[in-house]
Amino acid sequence: GGWQLSPFVTLGTGTPFDLSTSSQGGVNSRPDQVGNANIGLNKNFANNYFTYGNASAFIDPPINASGAYARVGTVHRNQFYGPGYNTTSLSVIKAIPIIERLKSEIRVQAYNLFNHPQFGNPSNTSIDQSQALIINGTRFRSAREMEFAYRVTF
């Protein structure tokens, strides 16, 4: 006796991000979507990085005679979401009675137990750049963490 096992799973969607175009007439705009955005995590084996969609599926909106965008693009604000996240964590606790008023516990806790990578949003969301929609990082504190503790209660 005295054992306690506490697994917990966290699932979530990614955070929204906006796509933009280059500046025309001093104003940035949202692009027009003309193809399949293929939003999802894609590994580029040739260059050893992840992309999160097809930047060539977007183009700049039309430009008027004064050199500014004639209208806002067809892509909506926060239309796309970054990679979701999922973690499995586990706590194992063993209660050890010492005397009637004095108790102790040994705890082992593991966060992101399976060390599943939790990717962040694309770092560059301007469709006019060759490095558009590249994921180059993970979420803050998303690596596996383990904690060992001993607790005395009196």
Side-chain angles (χ1 to χ4, degrees):
W3 287 96
Q4 181 179 348
L5 183 68
S6 302
F8 51 100
V9 176
T10 305
L11 304 171
T13 62
T15 53
F17 65 92
D18 291 323
L19 296 177
S20 64
T21 63
S22 61
S23 178
Q24 291 291 333
V27 177
N28 286 346
S29 182
R30 292 189 291 268
D32 285 338
Q33 185 172 351
V34 294
N36 183 2
N38 193 25
I39 294 297
L41 202 56
N42 304 300
K43 173 77 172 156
N44 183 325
F45 289 98
N47 297 318
N48 200 29
Y49 59 75
F50 286 100
T51 59
Y52 198 69
N54 177 14
S56 62
F58 305 96
I59 61 170
D60 288 345
I63 297 173
N64 63 21
S66 63
Y69 290 118
R71 60 172 172 77
V72 176
T74 59
V75 172
H76 304 290
R77 182 177 178 273
N78 292 339
Q79 181 173 337
F80 302 108
Y81 284 79
Y85 58 91
N86 55 21
T87 61
T88 302
S89 301
L90 179 70
S91 295
V92 178
I93 302 168
K94 170 65 172 153
I96 304 170
I98 299 173
I99 59 174
E100 184 178 331
R101 293 184 51 223
L102 191 60
K103 299 177 176 113
S104 67
E105 288 180 347
I106 296 175
R107 296 172 164 257
V108 177
Q109 299 178 155
Y111 305 98
N112 196 5
L113 180 65
F114 303 118
N115 207 23
H116 182 82
Q118 311 297 318
F119 293 107
N121 277 357
S123 59
N124 186 353
T125 56
S126 174
I127 62 156
D128 301 319
Q129 312 237 347
S130 63
Q131 301 292 313
L133 300 178
I134 289 179
I135 294 192
N136 61 2
T138 56
R139 293 177 185 269
F140 179 66
R141 294 184 65 109
S142 66
R144 178 188 308 134
E145 294 181 23
M146 296 188 77
E147 176 179 294
F148 300 91
Y150 182 74
R151 176 180 170 178
V152 177
T153 307
F154 52 92

